[in-house]
Amino acid sequence: MGLKQLGKAAPLPPSPDEAVLERVSNLHADTDYVARFTAPEFTCLCPVTGQPDFAHFVVDYAPGKWLLESKSFKLFLGSFRNTASFHEDTTLRIGKSIATLIEPRWLRIGGYWFPRGGIPIDVFWQHGTPPDGIWIPDQGVAPYRGRG
Amino acid sequence: MGLKQLGKAAPLPPSPDEAVLERVSNLHADTDYVARFTAPEFTCLCPVTGQPDFAHFVVDYAPGKWLLESKSFKLFLGSFRNTASFHEDTTLRIGKSIATLIEPRWLRIGGYWFPRGGIPIDVFWQHGTPPDGIWIPDQGVAPYRGRG
Amino acid sequence: MGLKQLGKAAPLPPSPDEAVLERVSNLHADTDYVARFTAPEFTCLCPVTGQPDFAHFVVDYAPGKWLLESKSFKLFLGSFRNTASFHEDTTLRIGKSIATLIEPRWLRIGGYWFPRGGIPIDVFWQHGTPPDGIWIPDQGVAPYRGRG
Amino acid sequence: MGLKQLGKAAPLPPSPDEAVLERVSNLHADTDYVARFTAPEFTCLCPVTGQPDFAHFVVDYAPGKWLLESKSFKLFLGSFRNTASFHEDTTLRIGKSIATLIEPRWLRIGGYWFPRGGIPIDVFWQHGTPPDGIWIPDQGVAPYRGRG
Amino acid sequence: MGLKQLGKAAPLPPSPDEAVLERVSNLHADTDYVARFTAPEFTCLCPVTGQPDFAHFVVDYAPGKWLLESKSFKLFLGSFRNTASFHEDTTLRIGKSIATLIEPRWLRIGGYWFPRGGIPIDVFWQHGTPPDGIWIPDQGVAPYRGRG
Amino acid sequence: MGLKQLGKAAPLPPSPDEAVLERVSNLHADTDYVARFTAPEFTCLCPVTGQPDFAHFVVDYAPGKWLLESKSFKLFLGSFRNTASFHEDTTLRIGKSIATLIEPRWLRIGGYWFPRGGIPIDVFWQHGTPPDGIWIPDQGVAPYRGRG
Amino acid sequence: MGLKQLGKAAPLPPSPDEAVLERVSNLHADTDYVARFTAPEFTCLCPVTGQPDFAHFVVDYAPGKWLLESKSFKLFLGSFRNTASFHEDTTLRIGKSIATLIEPRWLRIGGYWFPRGGIPIDVFWQHGTPPDGIWIPDQGVAPYRGRG
Amino acid sequence: MGLKQLGKAAPLPPSPDEAVLERVSNLHADTDYVARFTAPEFTCLCPVTGQPDFAHFVVDYAPGKWLLESKSFKLFLGSFRNTASFHEDTTLRIGKSIATLIEPRWLRIGGYWFPRGGIPIDVFWQHGTPPDGIWIPDQGVAPYRGRG
Amino acid sequence: MGLKQLGKAAPLPPSPDEAVLERVSNLHADTDYVARFTAPEFTCLCPVTGQPDFAHFVVDYAPGKWLLESKSFKLFLGSFRNTASFHEDTTLRIGKSIATLIEPRWLRIGGYWFPRGGIPIDVFWQHGTPPDGIWIPDQGVAPYRGRG
Amino acid sequence: MGLKQLGKAAPLPPSPDEAVLERVSNLHADTDYVARFTAPEFTCLCPVTGQPDFAHFVVDYAPGKWLLESKSFKLFLGSFRNTASFHEDTTLRIGKSIATLIEPRWLRIGGYWFPRGGIPIDVFWQHGTPPDGIWIPDQGVAPYRGRG
Ligand SMILES: [Ca+2]
Ligand SMILES: [Ca+2]
Ligand SMILES: [Ca+2]
Ligand SMILES: [Ca+2]
Ligand SMILES: [Ca+2]
Ligand SMILES: [Ca+2]
Ligand SMILES: [Ca+2]
Ligand SMILES: [Ca+2]
Ligand SMILES: [Ca+2]
Ligand SMILES: [Ca+2]
Ligand SMILES: [Ca+2]
Ligand SMILES: [Ca+2]
Ligand SMILES: [Ca+2]
Ligand SMILES: [Ca+2]
Ligand SMILES: [Ca+2]
Ligand SMILES: [Ca+2]
């Protein structure tokens, strides 16, 4: 499949620009279905303070010709480690990068960010129209409750 | 960006009228998406008894040209600390203040108030029509259960 | 506002017929929104056995000109304490009493009754059509699970 | 009301054919609403092995002229105690028996069976079309999770 | 057994003084074990305001010669319906009444009261020393969480 | 092992007296450990009304020379199907039957019964002293919560 | 019914190709309803590393002339034990195998895979259009949360 | 009882020093038991930034001659509204104020503070030794989980 | 460290006898602490039927000179894939294999098995005495609840 | 107090060696109590693969003369961002660093690491003996459950 990172020693890319998100052929390209990736391990930097930010991401998509390759996705997420950007922008950048690469019939991303100033921000984006007849469960991530 | 409070010493405004809710440019103004702010730390005063009231707020909106600036939102909420008003009114006032400032494509606010007389009141308002094709998860706040 | 019970010594009315459910002006009568009252403290009597019955109520409504006054609602619920009626009837009576008084754009009531003979009964009624564009979260009351 | 079992000594009927499911008049027959019965205590026999099977049932219906009488329902469920049949068949038989008797505007039944061979079967049936404007909450029964 | 209420028409006693809590012989009086009664349906009146109060009770005890008779316990709890007393006093009165009647080797009662002024009170009392070697699980009642 | 029921067609025994609870050799008889059996499928009859009762059982024991044979335990529980007895008695009878057969170093049983009259009864018994150094997790069965 | 595996000694098939998924007549073929099978015990092999993979499956379908026979389904799932394939492919293969055999009016499968590289993948596929008027509850499988 | 605030118009005291925490006689002073107050509505100010802080408090105590009067406790907590102090200090100040006033046999306080800098602080203090033979359930407040 | 499997292509060992559980030096051998491994992915075969069994394991230990090497532990668990043995025996075999290799100051294992015949078995074993002063949280695995 | 980081621009330290964990005076040094810090935002690097690792930490301690300064603790945790070490070592290093600086009467740390190879590792360490009479609630972090 010509994958550059799967099954090889793959160092963490230093930035999203240097990361290589990869795709593999979808064996069921004639079928409408949904794949969900849940990524609770994400960190980047705050563009204002330079301090670490953390988020939990869930990506749902209906594949066309391509599937998102899982290891490259993990490395792509890891490449944000030293990158500074706002929550809304980071979430959409991740979603759009995947959409550009794999040309899904439909895709959505939920970014669930840890609280700052006592107030967490979540970002929800979807791209394209769900193909007629697919089934998309709720992401069901627990709401933030503070304490008590 | 000319923000008045971000990155500066920002004292708690004495009232909502004196608070300055601020906005920043939306880098993805050509994209329909949703941002959620969850604010479990809110208090104001009861207009009948003068005693403190408490609430948990969740705001969802689809940004147009502007994003809600997070620190000013925190200070705006804090500015109700010495203000007396009814639950329904306070919830709508917060929602309408944000809507007026950032002119979102769509916005909703859920106000989940602590019980008085054994009966909590929740207030749910939305403004505008969700843009075609956006995705809006449930707020999922736990229902009040009393005891047992 | 001419309220008869708010801010006064208000004894428990001896029956629903003697209770006075009250209303106050809706400051946002030009706005479609929803208010939820959650009342986990309710008891009446079984018309067959005379034994106490207990229920948990959740009322959602879209106010028109009037809001339901909270203290009178609490007293109204308390007035069923010595009244005997069936679960279905009691739930609808409460819902219809509120609807008649406050003429909401829409209203619904969920009555979640404690089990009798090992089988709880829940009653769900709604009145009118939700105004276009309002947002109504699930009531989300936990299903009865028995044991284990 | 001429009920045969309510308020009397009512032995467990030996089989569903000998059980008498009863109905009472619906005082709100001009109103569309929903009643839910949750029955976590059910057992019958496996037609293949003769061993006991267990299930948790939830019945929702929109009453027409009649309500399901609760005690006769409990006895009807109990009458399956020595009856052998498959999960799908038992669930539909219960649902159809109620529907035939009380002629609801709409009815649904969820049968949540305990696992056999590590795999539980659930059966979901509904009958008729929900009347326009009624409100039907999810049954919300916990999914089977195995262990861990 | 000479029980006065079990298997008979038993009206709700008008007050705890007129209620008759009953006991039956413990068939396993030579064995140390624990019985737990969970009573989520309880109401009395507030001695200050005359308004209804609600509580959820859990009673654990290690029987000696006697078991608490369940139907009389239900009627005893119901007899508080028109009685006014403070949470601490009511909880201990119930616990002590049972202890006096059935002379358990050990007994405890948890009273979990609904909030007043936003603050619920729980009362925990135990009587006697658990017999050596008995096993007493936690009552595990959910803590009060307010909202959010 | 001379087991009478394992791997054979084993009809449900008509009563506990006719059931044969079996044991197998403990391969680790020189080791102190605990085995837990969780049995959420149990029914018997109420000795007063003849109506079905249901319970959820959890048995923990520290085996000596013998292990409880699982299929015979299932059949033993099933044999109570047409037997009438009180909750306290049934729970202890099951526990004592196992203890007599397998002579464990220690055993406990929790019987979690479905509510009658709105009040469930749980029964907790243990037998013997836990061997020094064994580890016994809580049974962790959810407390009864009524509704809401 | 000519079933090859039910009620007989049925060894685990060595591969899905050698497994025989079976069907039985649907006694309610004139009725639209849904059956759900929940299978938390599934394992196969990773085609890249040869290491075991694990998944939790939930299958919902609206039967036509045939029901899925439960024991053959269990054996079919077990037959993947030594088979290597990707998550997306395995999930669709299982769903399509059932659909081909039983010709349901509609079917869906959710495959909830355990995390690899910290990121679990879920796969959701449905086949056909739900018959008008059937009721399909959410699968409600808990989202992956990582730790904390 | 000479209470200064119960049953009267009681304005919020401007500071803890001006608040009057009150006590009432314990009717069961010869009995060892525990009372729990759960207070999810608390706010004060951060001594460093002047911004609002929020906390959830749970107080358990074994009363001696006195009970904590509930309304004065609510007002006492409210009096911290414009007071600045550190989490550890505020929690202990509240606990010690109660202990000094009511001279309990034993007391403990858990202060569960909302996160600052992504890290919430909890403070746990107890005073005196629990009287022999009292029963003290866990406070069971949910741990902070961040997101996901 | 001479590890045979870490950082290398490591095929699944065909049986526990051929698996090589490995150890690494404990850098904090002079310190008493606890490490917990949670392994929800485990399968073996039933010695009676040859069908797959599944379990969820949690291992806690206080290391002495050695730590359990994580990858070899994963492979060791995987090596049971084609091995037949009883739940009690398998759980203790795993625990004892680890104890023999790493000579911990103390170790315990909880094996949480999926239900067979409607009844899951859990096995709890510990080895040695916890060093004075270590801290061992509950394993907290959810109890089996059947359905509803 | 001479703090170097509180209330100042404080860049993320490049390594733990360069981070400065700070302490402040304990105003209640004559009192035994416990402070808990919960830190769900932590990442470091895997010493074998160089890939990011994530953990959730909870630290409990009984302060002596000093309190842990919260902002320096946040920066100290952040300083591990580019540091590679094993889970057991990192957890103990954090715990010991705090203990050395603030000389608590007692301290414990729980490190809850995200799964690798499907198996998460938790590390629990405590230091010193809890002072007589302090109260230490469970950390109550949810156990890892895999899927389903
Ligand atoms: Ca399609
Ligand atoms: Ca809260
Ligand atoms: Ca659009
Ligand atoms: Ca409208
Ligand atoms: Ca159950
Ligand atoms: Ca209608
Ligand atoms: Ca004893
Ligand atoms: Ca021993
Ligand atoms: Ca309740
Ligand atoms: Ca149809
Ligand atoms: Ca004492
Ligand atoms: Ca998390
Ligand atoms: Ca030690
Ligand atoms: Ca001390
Ligand atoms: Ca001590
Ligand atoms: Ca699982």
Side-chain angles (χ1 to χ4, degrees):
Chain A
M1 292 182 285
L3 294 173
K4 299 199 176 81
Q5 297 160 110
L6 186 60
K8 295 173 192 156
L12 198 63
S15 77
D17 288 339
E18 287 155 286
V20 181
L21 202 53
E22 296 181 274
R23 66 193 187 188
V24 295
S25 289
N26 174 12
L27 298 180
H28 296 268
D30 57 343
T31 302
D32 285 322
Y33 68 100
V34 171
R36 169 172 297 173
F37 286 67
T38 302
E41 307 178 22
F42 180 86
T43 182
C44 62
L45 299 176
C46 173
V48 176
T49 64
Q51 295 297 318
D53 277 332
F54 286 78
H56 174 108
F57 285 105
V58 184
V59 176
D60 293 322
Y61 73 99
K65 283 175 60 182
W66 310 104
L67 295 180
L68 179 58
E69 197 279 318
S70 176
K71 187 174 179 187
S72 75
F73 178 52
K74 181 187 150 181
L75 292 167
F76 177 67
L77 291 179
S79 76
F80 283 81
R81 196 171 182 83
N82 296 309
T83 299
S85 70
F86 290 100
H87 296 356
E88 293 89 345
D89 189 34
T90 304
T91 307
L92 268 69
R93 180 176 183 183
I94 294 171
K96 290 179 174 179
S97 295
I98 301 172
T100 298
L101 177 73
I102 64 169
E103 297 172 5
R105 293 175 186 160
W106 162 87
L107 177 149
R108 72 177 180 188
I109 182 169
Y112 306 86
W113 294 82
F114 285 60
R116 291 295 169 262
I119 299 177
I121 299 180
D122 296 339
V123 184
F124 309 111
W125 177 64
Q126 74 180 342
H127 168 76
T129 304
D132 187 53
I134 64 164
W135 159 50
I136 309 166
D138 282 351
Q139 292 194 346
V141 175
Y144 181 68
R145 75 183 278 188
R147 304 308 308 279
Chain B
M1 293 180 286
L3 294 173
K4 300 198 175 81
Q5 297 160 109
L6 186 61
K8 295 171 192 158
L12 198 62
S15 77
D17 288 339
E18 287 156 286
V20 181
L21 202 54
E22 296 182 273
R23 64 191 187 188
V24 295
S25 289
N26 175 12
L27 298 180
H28 296 267
D30 57 344
T31 302
D32 285 321
Y33 67 101
V34 171
R36 169 172 297 173
F37 287 66
T38 301
E41 306 179 22
F42 181 87
T43 182
C44 61
L45 299 175
C46 173
V48 175
T49 64
Q51 294 297 317
D53 277 332
F54 286 77
H56 173 106
F57 285 104
V58 184
V59 176
D60 293 321
Y61 73 100
K65 282 175 61 183
W66 309 104
L67 295 180
L68 179 58
E69 196 280 317
S70 178
K71 186 172 180 188
S72 74
F73 178 52
K74 182 187 150 180
L75 291 168
F76 177 66
L77 291 179
S79 75
F80 283 81
R81 196 170 183 85
N82 296 309
T83 299
S85 71
F86 290 99
H87 296 356
E88 293 89 346
D89 189 34
T90 304
T91 307
L92 269 69
R93 180 176 183 184
I94 293 171
K96 290 179 173 179
S97 295
I98 301 171
T100 298
L101 177 73
I102 63 169
E103 297 172 6
R105 292 174 188 161
W106 161 89
L107 178 149
R108 73 178 180 188
I109 182 169
Y112 306 86
W113 294 81
F114 285 60
R116 291 294 168 264
I119 298 176
I121 299 180
D122 296 340
V123 184
F124 308 111
W125 177 64
Q126 73 181 342
H127 167 76
T129 304
D132 187 54
I134 64 164
W135 159 52
I136 310 165
D138 283 350
Q139 293 194 346
V141 175
Y144 180 68
R145 76 182 279 189
R147 303 308 308 281
Chain C
M1 292 181 285
L3 293 173
K4 300 198 174 82
Q5 297 160 112
L6 186 60
K8 295 171 191 159
L12 198 62
S15 76
D17 288 339
E18 288 157 285
V20 181
L21 201 53
E22 295 182 273
R23 64 192 187 189
V24 295
S25 290
N26 175 11
L27 298 180
H28 296 267
D30 57 343
T31 303
D32 286 321
Y33 67 100
V34 170
R36 170 171 295 173
F37 287 67
T38 300
E41 306 179 24
F42 180 86
T43 181
C44 61
L45 299 175
C46 173
V48 176
T49 64
Q51 295 296 318
D53 277 333
F54 287 78
H56 174 106
F57 285 104
V58 184
V59 176
D60 292 322
Y61 73 99
K65 283 175 60 183
W66 309 105
L67 294 181
L68 179 58
E69 196 280 316
S70 178
K71 186 173 180 187
S72 75
F73 178 52
K74 182 187 151 180
L75 291 167
F76 177 66
L77 291 179
S79 76
F80 283 81
R81 196 170 182 83
N82 297 310
T83 299
S85 71
F86 290 100
H87 297 354
E88 293 90 344
D89 189 34
T90 304
T91 308
L92 270 68
R93 180 175 183 183
I94 293 170
K96 290 179 174 179
S97 295
I98 301 171
T100 297
L101 177 73
I102 63 168
E103 297 171 5
R105 293 174 187 162
W106 161 89
L107 177 150
R108 73 179 181 187
I109 182 169
Y112 305 85
W113 294 81
F114 284 61
R116 291 293 169 267
I119 298 177
I121 298 180
D122 296 339
V123 183
F124 309 111
W125 176 65
Q126 74 179 343
H127 167 77
T129 304
D132 187 52
I134 65 165
W135 158 50
I136 310 165
D138 282 351
Q139 293 194 346
V141 175
Y144 180 67
R145 75 182 277 189
R147 304 307 309 281
Chain D
M1 292 180 285
L3 294 174
K4 299 198 175 83
Q5 296 160 113
L6 185 62
K8 294 170 193 161
L12 198 63
S15 76
D17 288 339
E18 288 157 286
V20 181
L21 202 52
E22 296 183 273
R23 65 191 188 190
V24 296
S25 289
N26 175 10
L27 298 180
H28 296 268
D30 56 344
T31 302
D32 285 320
Y33 67 101
V34 170
R36 169 172 295 174
F37 286 68
T38 301
E41 305 179 23
F42 180 86
T43 182
C44 62
L45 299 175
C46 173
V48 175
T49 64
Q51 295 297 318
D53 277 332
F54 287 78
H56 174 106
F57 284 106
V58 184
V59 176
D60 292 322
Y61 74 98
K65 282 174 60 182
W66 309 106
L67 294 181
L68 178 58
E69 195 281 315
S70 177
K71 186 174 181 186
S72 75
F73 177 53
K74 181 188 151 180
L75 291 167
F76 177 66
L77 290 180
S79 76
F80 282 81
R81 195 170 182 84
N82 297 309
T83 299
S85 71
F86 291 100
H87 296 357
E88 292 90 345
D89 189 34
T90 304
T91 307
L92 269 67
R93 180 175 183 183
I94 293 170
K96 289 178 174 180
S97 295
I98 301 170
T100 297
L101 178 73
I102 65 168
E103 297 172 6
R105 292 173 188 162
W106 161 88
L107 177 149
R108 73 178 181 187
I109 182 170
Y112 305 85
W113 295 81
F114 285 61
R116 292 293 169 265
I119 298 176
I121 299 180
D122 297 339
V123 183
F124 309 111
W125 176 65
Q126 74 180 342
H127 168 77
T129 304
D132 187 53
I134 65 166
W135 158 51
I136 310 165
D138 282 350
Q139 294 195 345
V141 175
Y144 180 68
R145 74 183 276 189
R147 305 307 309 282
Chain E
M1 292 181 285
L3 295 173
K4 300 199 174 81
Q5 297 161 111
L6 185 60
K8 295 172 192 160
L12 198 62
S15 77
D17 287 340
E18 288 156 286
V20 181
L21 201 52
E22 296 182 273
R23 64 191 188 189
V24 295
S25 288
N26 175 11
L27 298 180
H28 296 268
D30 56 344
T31 303
D32 285 320
Y33 67 101
V34 171
R36 170 173 294 173
F37 286 68
T38 303
E41 308 180 21
F42 180 85
T43 182
C44 62
L45 299 174
C46 174
V48 175
T49 65
Q51 296 296 318
D53 277 332
F54 287 78
H56 174 106
F57 285 104
V58 183
V59 176
D60 293 321
Y61 73 100
K65 282 175 61 182
W66 310 105
L67 295 181
L68 178 58
E69 196 281 318
S70 177
K71 186 173 180 186
S72 75
F73 178 52
K74 180 186 151 180
L75 292 166
F76 176 66
L77 291 179
S79 76
F80 284 81
R81 195 171 184 83
N82 298 309
T83 299
S85 70
F86 290 100
H87 297 355
E88 291 88 345
D89 188 34
T90 305
T91 306
L92 268 67
R93 181 176 181 183
I94 293 171
K96 291 179 173 179
S97 295
I98 300 171
T100 299
L101 177 72
I102 64 170
E103 296 171 6
R105 292 173 189 164
W106 162 88
L107 178 149
R108 73 178 181 188
I109 182 169
Y112 305 86
W113 295 82
F114 285 61
R116 292 294 169 264
I119 299 177
I121 299 180
D122 297 340
V123 184
F124 308 110
W125 176 65
Q126 72 180 346
H127 167 77
T129 304
D132 186 54
I134 65 165
W135 159 50
I136 309 165
D138 282 350
Q139 294 194 347
V141 174
Y144 180 67
R145 75 183 276 189
R147 304 307 309 281
Chain F
M1 293 180 286
L3 294 173
K4 298 200 175 82
Q5 297 161 111
L6 186 60
K8 296 174 192 156
L12 198 63
S15 77
D17 288 339
E18 288 156 286
V20 181
L21 201 53
E22 296 182 273
R23 64 191 188 188
V24 296
S25 290
N26 175 11
L27 299 179
H28 297 267
D30 56 343
T31 304
D32 284 321
Y33 67 101
V34 171
R36 169 172 295 173
F37 287 68
T38 302
E41 308 179 21
F42 180 87
T43 182
C44 63
L45 299 174
C46 172
V48 176
T49 65
Q51 296 296 318
D53 277 332
F54 286 77
H56 173 106
F57 284 105
V58 184
V59 176
D60 293 322
Y61 73 99
K65 282 176 61 183
W66 309 105
L67 295 180
L68 179 58
E69 195 282 317
S70 176
K71 186 172 180 186
S72 75
F73 178 52
K74 180 187 153 182
L75 292 166
F76 177 66
L77 291 179
S79 77
F80 283 81
R81 196 170 182 85
N82 297 308
T83 298
S85 70
F86 290 100
H87 297 355
E88 291 90 345
D89 189 33
T90 304
T91 307
L92 269 67
R93 181 175 181 185
I94 293 171
K96 290 179 174 179
S97 294
I98 300 171
T100 299
L101 178 72
I102 64 169
E103 297 171 4
R105 290 172 188 164
W106 163 88
L107 177 149
R108 72 178 181 188
I109 181 168
Y112 306 85
W113 294 82
F114 285 60
R116 292 294 170 264
I119 299 176
I121 299 179
D122 297 339
V123 184
F124 309 110
W125 176 65
Q126 73 180 346
H127 168 76
T129 304
D132 187 54
I134 65 165
W135 160 50
I136 309 165
D138 282 350
Q139 293 196 346
V141 174
Y144 180 68
R145 75 182 276 188
R147 303 308 308 281
Chain G
M1 291 180 286
L3 294 173
K4 299 200 175 82
Q5 296 161 111
L6 186 60
K8 294 172 193 157
L12 197 63
S15 77
D17 288 339
E18 288 156 286
V20 181
L21 202 52
E22 295 183 274
R23 65 192 188 187
V24 296
S25 289
N26 174 11
L27 297 179
H28 296 268
D30 56 343
T31 302
D32 285 321
Y33 67 101
V34 170
R36 169 172 296 173
F37 286 68
T38 302
E41 306 178 22
F42 180 85
T43 183
C44 62
L45 300 175
C46 172
V48 176
T49 63
Q51 295 297 316
D53 277 332
F54 286 78
H56 173 106
F57 284 105
V58 183
V59 176
D60 292 322
Y61 74 98
K65 283 175 60 182
W66 309 106
L67 295 180
L68 179 58
E69 196 281 316
S70 176
K71 187 174 180 186
S72 75
F73 177 53
K74 182 188 150 179
L75 291 166
F76 177 66
L77 290 179
S79 76
F80 283 80
R81 196 172 183 82
N82 297 308
T83 299
S85 70
F86 290 100
H87 295 357
E88 292 90 344
D89 189 33
T90 304
T91 307
L92 269 67
R93 180 175 183 183
I94 292 170
K96 290 179 174 179
S97 294
I98 300 171
T100 298
L101 178 73
I102 64 169
E103 298 172 4
R105 292 174 187 162
W106 161 87
L107 178 149
R108 73 177 180 187
I109 182 169
Y112 305 85
W113 294 82
F114 285 60
R116 291 294 169 263
I119 299 177
I121 299 180
D122 296 339
V123 184
F124 308 111
W125 176 64
Q126 74 180 342
H127 168 77
T129 305
D132 187 53
I134 64 165
W135 158 50
I136 310 165
D138 282 350
Q139 292 195 345
V141 175
Y144 180 68
R145 75 182 276 188
R147 304 308 307 282
Chain H
M1 293 180 285
L3 294 173
K4 300 200 174 81
Q5 297 161 111
L6 186 59
K8 294 172 193 156
L12 198 62
S15 77
D17 288 339
E18 288 156 286
V20 180
L21 201 52
E22 296 182 272
R23 64 190 188 189
V24 295
S25 288
N26 175 12
L27 298 180
H28 296 268
D30 57 344
T31 303
D32 285 320
Y33 67 102
V34 170
R36 169 173 295 174
F37 287 68
T38 303
E41 308 179 22
F42 180 86
T43 183
C44 62
L45 299 175
C46 173
V48 175
T49 64
Q51 295 297 317
D53 277 332
F54 286 78
H56 173 107
F57 284 105
V58 183
V59 175
D60 293 320
Y61 73 99
K65 283 175 60 182
W66 310 105
L67 294 180
L68 179 58
E69 196 280 316
S70 177
K71 187 174 180 186
S72 75
F73 178 52
K74 181 187 150 180
L75 291 167
F76 177 66
L77 290 179
S79 75
F80 283 80
R81 196 171 183 83
N82 297 309
T83 299
S85 72
F86 290 100
H87 297 355
E88 292 88 346
D89 188 35
T90 304
T91 306
L92 268 67
R93 179 174 183 185
I94 294 171
K96 290 179 174 178
S97 295
I98 301 171
T100 298
L101 177 73
I102 65 169
E103 297 172 6
R105 291 173 189 163
W106 161 88
L107 177 150
R108 73 179 181 187
I109 182 169
Y112 306 86
W113 294 82
F114 285 60
R116 292 295 169 264
I119 298 176
I121 298 180
D122 297 339
V123 184
F124 309 110
W125 176 65
Q126 73 180 344
H127 167 78
T129 304
D132 187 53
I134 65 165
W135 158 50
I136 310 164
D138 281 349
Q139 293 194 346
V141 174
Y144 180 67
R145 74 183 277 189
R147 305 306 309 280
Chain I
M1 292 180 285
L3 294 174
K4 299 201 173 82
Q5 297 161 109
L6 186 60
K8 295 174 193 158
L12 198 62
S15 77
D17 288 339
E18 289 156 285
V20 180
L21 202 52
E22 296 181 272
R23 65 190 187 189
V24 296
S25 290
N26 175 13
L27 299 180
H28 297 267
D30 56 344
T31 303
D32 285 321
Y33 68 101
V34 170
R36 170 172 295 174
F37 287 67
T38 302
E41 307 179 22
F42 180 86
T43 182
C44 62
L45 299 175
C46 172
V48 175
T49 65
Q51 295 297 318
D53 277 333
F54 287 77
H56 173 107
F57 284 104
V58 184
V59 176
D60 292 322
Y61 73 99
K65 282 174 59 183
W66 309 106
L67 296 180
L68 179 58
E69 195 282 316
S70 178
K71 186 172 180 188
S72 75
F73 178 52
K74 181 186 153 183
L75 291 167
F76 177 66
L77 291 179
S79 75
F80 283 81
R81 197 169 181 85
N82 298 308
T83 299
S85 71
F86 291 100
H87 296 357
E88 292 89 345
D89 189 33
T90 304
T91 307
L92 269 67
R93 181 176 181 184
I94 293 171
K96 290 179 173 178
S97 295
I98 301 171
T100 298
L101 177 72
I102 64 169
E103 297 171 5
R105 291 174 187 163
W106 161 88
L107 177 149
R108 72 179 181 186
I109 181 168
Y112 306 85
W113 294 81
F114 285 60
R116 292 296 170 261
I119 298 175
I121 299 180
D122 297 340
V123 184
F124 308 111
W125 177 65
Q126 73 180 344
H127 168 77
T129 304
D132 187 54
I134 65 166
W135 159 50
I136 309 165
D138 281 350
Q139 293 196 345
V141 175
Y144 180 68
R145 75 182 277 188
R147 303 307 309 280
Chain J
M1 291 180 285
L3 293 173
K4 299 201 174 81
Q5 296 161 110
L6 186 60
K8 295 173 192 156
L12 198 62
S15 77
D17 288 338
E18 288 156 286
V20 180
L21 202 51
E22 296 182 272
R23 66 191 187 189
V24 295
S25 289
N26 175 12
L27 298 180
H28 296 268
D30 57 343
T31 303
D32 285 320
Y33 67 101
V34 171
R36 169 172 295 173
F37 287 67
T38 302
E41 307 179 22
F42 180 86
T43 183
C44 62
L45 299 175
C46 173
V48 176
T49 65
Q51 296 296 318
D53 277 332
F54 287 77
H56 173 106
F57 284 105
V58 184
V59 176
D60 293 322
Y61 73 100
K65 283 175 60 183
W66 309 105
L67 296 180
L68 179 58
E69 196 280 317
S70 178
K71 186 172 180 188
S72 76
F73 178 51
K74 181 186 151 183
L75 291 167
F76 177 66
L77 291 179
S79 77
F80 284 80
R81 196 170 182 84
N82 297 308
T83 299
S85 71
F86 290 101
H87 296 357
E88 292 88 346
D89 188 34
T90 304
T91 306
L92 269 67
R93 180 175 183 183
I94 293 171
K96 290 178 174 178
S97 295
I98 301 171
T100 298
L101 177 73
I102 64 169
E103 296 171 7
R105 291 174 187 162
W106 161 88
L107 178 149
R108 73 179 181 186
I109 181 168
Y112 306 86
W113 294 82
F114 285 60
R116 292 294 169 263
I119 298 175
I121 298 180
D122 296 340
V123 184
F124 309 111
W125 176 65
Q126 73 180 343
H127 167 78
T129 303
D132 189 53
I134 65 165
W135 159 50
I136 310 164
D138 282 349
Q139 293 195 345
V141 175
Y144 180 67
R145 73 183 278 189
R147 304 307 309 281

